[in-house]
Amino acid sequence: MSNNIDNLLHEDRRFPPSAEFTAQAVGQASLYADSKKDRLGFWDKQAKELLHWHKPYTRVLDWSDAPVAKWFDDGELNVAYNCLDRHVLEGRGDRVAIYGEGEPGDQRVYTYSELTAEVKRVANVFLSLGVTAGDRIAIYMPMIPEAVITMLASARIGAVHTVVFGGFSADSLRSRIDDAEAKLVVTADGGWRKGKVFPLKPTVDAALEANGGGSTVDHVLVVKRGENDVAWTEGRDIWWDDAQAGVDAEHVAQGFPAEHPLFILYTSGTTGKPKGILHTTGGYLTQAAFTHKNIFDLHADTDVYWCTADVGWITGHSYVVYGPLANGATQVVYEGTPDAPHPGRWWEIIEKYKVSILYTAPTAIRSFMKLGREIPAKFDLSSIRVLGSVGEPINPEAWIWYHDIIGGGKAPIVDTWWQTETGAIMIAALPGVTTLKPGSAQVPIPGVVIDIVDDQGIPQDKNSGGLLVISEPWPSMLRGIWGDPARFQETYWEKFGDKYFAGDGARYDRDGDIWLLGRVDDVMNVSGHRLSTAEIESALVGNQIVAEAAVVGAADETTGQAVVAFVILKKSHIDDQTPEEASAILRKHVAEQIGAIARPSKVYIVEELPKTRSGKIMRRLLQDVAEGREIGDTTTLADTGVVSIISAQVH
């Protein structure tokens, strides 16, 4: 990265942990020392303390078949037993596991005893439908408790689930069903979204009818949620409640080898054949439980935890289902959108359940900033004591707003970096140990080895940047791409051989803390200078009139690429100047903050940005707009009309 493009590193606000927080913190500084002294011994200790093993393992790591790792591979465990049965057997059956909040305001509460009983019945349903260990189950559901129950029931019998986000198209669903060769699909008639029912079963029907019909799917299990009319195929389609009516209520969980597959998760935004990331059980559950407990400072007896992610993404797998339930946490599962039926919905939920730990995405935080602080101010958020950020680097101004307005100026923020492929958090602060820096993910978690290297793989020093790599195997790492070992090798290991290349750029600051700069393919080459879109976006959002910004590089005959910005103004500043005036102000602002080379050639003032339902900005589509190309696939967008509106504004 160009050394003069370092405005992010000028951030000098610091937030050390309070003495009171440190005194009660779960994660202590000794974790770093222990992991540095004996890394494998450290993970051995975590696996034994955090999990129940049906058969104890004798070997921590086998790396002889690198880059495919085997963690705890001669041991056996059952993921669902670890998330459910053991808590009941240890006397925590009456603890609330899930507060299920529907978008219309309906509520369902599951204790650990009730959730265990439900998962046992559904496991028996799967067995009655001919699903056995190793078979694949496709899940296409709204964010309701049955989605969590389905995942746990699949894990209980050793089946392999692949959750497909409920906003994906029939074609996207079909390609994933075909690649995984799924035997069963679990779905719902529909789910509530933005005040109305969003149909799901019709998409499953269309998926199974595509490509001439025939597929590997024998049955479709359907939860009645939306009460919308659905077509029915006799012999294939079964209502969830009807299927449970005749099955045994008891099911004994058996242990499976630690390297038994747990799930396949297809990465979003891919072109061509979907890329199925494979995760297994023992190592994955160890790191998911460890990070959830220590990074979020979980006190399971008293905390109410809420991760706002959908189970269709890796964050929903690791920090809605497996990490929290393995730790016996009480959590909120919310079906709908942040603004239905009103823009204070999230804050209302926090007040209602006294949520103490909130984990969400920077995109959501910036959306709330845009609406103004007066909305959260109407609700009692005093229960919050830890905040988390996930999905993309959080810019300092959003960090400060999150800390001051949602965290009451006292709750530490853990900014987490990780990926679908890593399975669990890899870089984050420990809230009772780390002095926090707004915008920096800061340090690798204990037991994880991360470096920033140049193109030749040479490690970089403080005050320099390059490519982020993971230098040693970690427990929750992907075990491959489903059915395509060559692609696994080529995608992640070909560049550096013995190091996993994450695809992200990063920098060390003068203290050696890590700042993520986004995907390497989000780096623009302007007149020979490499500029990070994340840095320019951060500079834009640092201006008081800006709520959100997205930057892309557009082809330019003169400079190779030109910087093009799409900006949403804060509600309170929309009427202060014309779009042309705002554009001029912001172009000048970026030049002052970073340098003339980074000045956007164009700044478009827009009302909304194209986002997936998980909140990620689809910069690829903005690049299509900026370059005047035909707009690419918009099926994953929360609002497919947004790009047309932006395109009309631009052209």
Side-chain angles (χ1 to χ4, degrees):
M1 306 293 169
S2 176
N3 284 333
N4 67 332
I5 311 298
D6 62 355
N7 64 305
L8 285 176
L9 307 185
H10 294 161
E11 175 58 56
D12 57 6
R13 288 167 286 193
R14 299 289 183 269
F15 297 83
S18 68
E20 295 81 8
F21 194 100
T22 298
Q24 61 80 57
V26 174
Q28 296 288 331
S30 58
L31 291 171
Y32 294 107
D34 292 348
S35 65
K36 281 186 175 139
K37 188 165 66 180
D38 180 1
R39 196 174 69 86
L40 295 185
F42 171 82
W43 285 119
D44 179 31
K45 181 181 178 187
Q46 303 309 320
K48 285 173 176 162
E49 288 184 356
L50 294 169
L51 304 183
H52 171 273
W53 293 84
H54 277 64
K55 176 190 169 190
Y57 57 86
T58 63
R59 177 170 50 203
V60 176
L61 171 66
D62 178 359
W63 190 231
S64 61
D65 193 25
V68 178
K70 296 185 182 75
W71 283 86
F72 319 117
D73 64 312
D74 60 345
E76 293 181 0
L77 74 166
N78 186 288
V79 169
Y81 183 94
N82 272 281
C83 292
L84 299 169
D85 307 51
R86 66 170 173 151
H87 302 311
V88 177
L89 293 169
E90 291 167 9
R92 296 185 292 275
D94 292 338
R95 178 184 295 171
V96 172
I98 291 174
Y99 289 113
E101 177 83 9
E103 191 184 80
D106 55 316
Q107 179 197 63
R108 285 182 292 159
V109 179
Y110 289 84
T111 65
Y112 272 92
S113 288
E114 291 164 340
L115 192 63
T116 302
E118 186 80 356
V119 168
K120 285 179 177 181
R121 281 194 296 272
V122 176
N124 285 328
V125 167
F126 291 168
L127 292 170
S128 74
L129 296 175
V131 178
T132 58
D135 288 339
R136 273 77 66 200
I137 297 174
I139 302 171
Y140 186 73
M141 297 182 77
M143 266 303 284
I144 55 177
E146 286 86 352
V148 178
I149 289 163
T150 299
M151 293 167 73
L152 290 166
S154 173
R156 190 176 190 89
I157 65 169
V160 183
H161 61 68
T162 182
V163 184
V164 181
F165 175 60
F168 277 163
S169 67
D171 285 347
S172 296
L173 175 59
R174 177 61 186 246
S175 67
R176 287 153 174 78
I177 287 171
D178 286 351
D179 190 68
E181 297 180 310
K183 198 169 185 177
L184 170 69
V185 177
V186 184
T187 188
D189 48 3
W192 284 90
R193 184 161 194 86
K194 297 196 173 182
K196 60 185 180 184
V197 172
F198 184 84
L200 292 168
K201 170 71 162 53
T203 305
V204 173
D205 293 339
L208 296 181
E209 288 159 14
N211 305 334
S215 82
T216 54
V217 173
D218 295 328
H219 294 100
V220 177
L221 193 60
V222 188
V223 175
K224 193 171 283 188
R225 169 61 183 161
E227 300 288 346
N228 49 307
D229 290 335
V230 293
W232 207 252
T233 301
E234 289 299 333
R236 184 195 73 183
D237 298 347
I238 307 164
W239 287 112
W240 174 274
D241 290 340
D242 292 348
Q244 289 191 52
V247 301
D248 195 336
E250 192 47 60
H251 179 275
V252 177
Q254 71 174 86
F256 291 97
E259 285 300 330
H260 185 77
L262 177 61
F263 64 87
I264 305 163
L265 187 55
Y266 290 89
T267 52
S268 58
T270 56
T271 55
K273 188 183 177 191
K275 188 168 64 176
I277 304 302
L278 175 66
H279 283 286
T280 56
T281 52
Y284 169 79
L285 196 61
T286 297
Q287 194 169 333
F290 169 78
T291 49
H292 179 260
K293 179 180 178 180
N294 289 279
I295 290 167
F296 299 110
D297 190 53
L298 178 74
H299 296 260
D301 292 341
T302 53
D303 277 319
V304 177
Y305 165 83
W306 182 21
C307 171
T308 66
D310 190 284
V311 291
W313 311 111
I314 187 64
T315 306
H317 283 57
S318 301
Y319 299 108
V320 173
V321 183
Y322 295 115
L325 295 174
N327 288 329
T330 296
Q331 67 174 323
V332 173
V333 171
Y334 174 54
E335 175 183 30
T337 55
D339 55 354
H342 58 82
R345 183 71 164 116
W346 275 16
W347 320 126
E348 179 182 65
I349 289 170
I350 288 169
E351 180 181 89
K352 177 177 179 178
Y353 294 108
K354 295 184 169 49
V355 171
S356 53
I357 305 168
L358 176 68
Y359 190 33
T360 194
T363 305
I365 297 160
R366 288 191 290 266
S367 295
F368 294 129
M369 285 176 69
K370 179 175 64 176
L371 295 172
R373 63 179 64 195
E374 61 273 11
I375 293 172
K378 295 173 187 171
F379 300 91
D380 179 5
L381 306 182
S382 61
S383 59
I384 288 182
R385 59 178 203 85
V386 176
L387 296 169
S389 172
V390 61
E392 58 187 276
I394 182 170
N395 56 290
E397 294 315 309
W399 194 104
I400 294 292
W401 190 92
Y402 193 29
H403 177 264
D404 290 351
I405 307 305
I406 307 307
K410 66 183 192 317
I413 297 174
V414 286
D415 178 12
T416 62
W417 177 86
W418 57 297
Q419 303 175 312
T420 302
E421 291 88 345
T422 71
I425 293 166
M426 303 293 282
I427 306 175
L430 275 185
V433 177
T434 314
T435 293
L436 304 172
K437 296 178 182 177
S440 171
Q442 302 205 259
V443 291
I445 68 160
V448 163
V449 181
I450 282 178
D451 290 304
I452 298 173
V453 301
D454 65 11
D455 280 333
Q456 283 70 50
I458 298 168
Q460 301 299 288
D461 295 322
K462 292 178 182 179
N463 274 329
S464 58
L467 307 174
L468 191 77
V469 296
I470 307 170
S471 301
E472 297 288 347
W474 65 101
S476 64
M477 67 192 294
L478 77 165
R479 298 305 196 259
I481 293 173
W482 182 255
D484 201 341
R487 191 177 180 189
F488 170 61
Q489 177 79 40
E490 176 191 338
T491 304
Y492 303 109
W493 303 92
E494 190 171 68
K495 187 168 181 66
F496 296 116
D498 60 341
K499 295 180 176 69
Y500 169 92
F501 175 44
D504 280 349
R507 293 207 48 170
Y508 291 122
D509 64 15
R510 59 182 176 270
D511 302 319
D513 284 342
I514 295 170
W515 296 70
L516 272 299
L517 299 177
R519 305 291 297 170
V520 172
D521 54 16
D522 288 340
V523 173
M524 300 166 290
N525 195 322
V526 180
S527 299
H529 296 268
R530 286 167 63 80
L531 306 181
S532 161
T533 59
E535 288 178 304
I536 300 173
E537 287 170 7
S538 184
L540 286 164
V541 178
N543 188 288
Q544 63 178 2
I545 71 172
V546 175
E548 281 194 85
V551 170
V552 297
D556 184 274
E557 288 183 7
T558 307
T559 60
Q561 280 188 303
V563 179
V564 178
F566 298 82
V567 169
I568 301 173
L569 299 182
K570 285 179 182 169
K571 216 172 182 179
S572 54
H573 288 275
I574 286 174
D575 299 326
D576 293 355
Q577 62 276 304
T578 66
E580 291 75 18
E581 290 168 341
S583 175
I585 290 168
L586 295 173
R587 292 181 70 239
K588 182 169 181 264
H589 174 75
V590 171
E592 289 170 351
Q593 290 290 304
I594 301 178
I597 190 67
R599 187 199 315 265
S601 64
K602 294 185 178 67
V603 175
Y604 295 111
I605 308 301
V606 296
E607 293 180 8
E608 195 47 86
L609 294 168
K611 296 172 190 167
T612 66
R613 287 177 179 81
S614 67
K616 285 192 177 178
I617 297 169
M618 293 287 280
R619 290 171 180 80
R620 165 177 60 80
L621 298 176
L622 290 174
Q623 194 163 30
D624 290 344
V625 171
E627 296 185 345
R629 288 196 302 265
E630 183 180 346
I631 305 300
D633 181 18
T634 62
T635 54
T636 62
L637 293 182
D639 181 352
T640 54
V642 165
V643 185
S644 300
I645 295 168
I646 294 172
S647 192
Q649 284 181 264
V650 169
H651 302 293

